[in-house]
Amino acid sequence: MAGKTFFDSRECGVHEPCSIVINGSVLEDALLRRVRSEFREMPSLRLTLDQAMRLWNLDRPTCCAVLESLVASHFLYQDSTGRYAQAHAEY
């Protein structure tokens, strides 16, 4: 993801610092849409950060930024085991 990177002291549930990328590019929007669609198509999907990285072939900082963005928008939540899931799964 291109753009200006700001390092954030927050962690992504895996005890590693995250970098937050700020840029409203078309590629980032497409990535967010792709991740949302995966969770909508499979409402019971629960992924750890490492599983999400493998599924979408993303590096850790990018994947972390995407997941945290979706958590901040209340589309996803992170459960007590560190897995990401759709906040309001529609069955």
Side-chain angles (χ1 to χ4, degrees):
M1 295 173 100
K4 199 171 203 176
T5 303
F6 297 93
F7 290 96
D8 193 344
S9 61
R10 293 180 301 161
E11 296 177 356
C12 286
V14 293
H15 307 294
E16 292 185 20
C18 297
S19 60
I20 304 301
V21 179
I22 308 220
N23 184 4
S25 76
V26 173
L27 289 175
E28 289 172 4
D29 291 342
L31 180 55
L32 288 170
R33 282 194 309 272
R34 179 179 173 200
V35 171
R36 278 191 194 103
S37 70
E38 294 278 355
F39 279 98
R40 284 185 180 128
E41 289 173 15
M42 296 176 279
S44 62
L45 184 65
R46 307 267 187 277
L47 297 172
T48 64
L49 178 60
D50 288 335
Q51 290 169 330
M53 288 169 51
R54 285 191 299 273
L55 180 62
W56 297 303
N57 195 28
L58 298 173
D59 59 46
R60 186 171 297 273
T62 301
C63 192
C64 184
V66 168
L67 293 172
E68 289 300 320
S69 174
L70 293 172
V71 167
S73 70
H74 305 289
F75 180 78
L76 296 180
Y77 73 95
Q78 190 174 17
D79 69 17
S80 61
T81 67
R83 295 182 189 279
Y84 291 88
Q86 191 174 349
H88 300 289
E90 302 158 1
Y91 293 99

